[in-house]
Amino acid sequence: MPADAASPSGEAAAVEVQAALWACAGPGDGLEHVRARAVPDGVGLVLYVRAPDGTAARSRAQGLLDRALTATGRLPSGLR
């Protein structure tokens, strides 16, 4: 996730992103764990998602990320 001028920086941004993902996650997402950390260009993410296969896991993760971005309104829709 790229950094945004209006967003907190560093580890504070990582904590905020992690909290937003948990807040948006529902049972159908299969989210088990989120690792978020500050990287030079924003926040790096690793999502552990329970799913029957890799394709389903990627789809669930993308859906969750899309909802979190929409809910926070922090990033333009083109930066996904």
Side-chain angles (χ1 to χ4, degrees):
M1 300 180 76
D4 177 44
S7 295
S9 60
E11 290 304 318
V15 169
E16 185 175 310
V17 168
Q18 185 169 330
L21 287 167
W22 280 116
C24 291
D29 295 312
L31 186 64
E32 293 188 351
H33 181 72
V34 177
R35 177 185 290 172
R37 68 178 204 161
V39 295
D41 293 331
V43 176
L45 293 172
V46 177
L47 304 180
Y48 294 85
V49 177
R50 184 178 45 254
D53 57 43
T55 300
R58 283 186 291 281
S59 178
R60 289 178 182 186
Q62 185 64 57
L64 175 56
L65 290 168
D66 288 345
R67 283 194 318 279
L69 287 172
T70 299
T72 63
R74 292 284 230 206
L75 299 176
S77 60
L79 295 177
R80 293 185 183 167

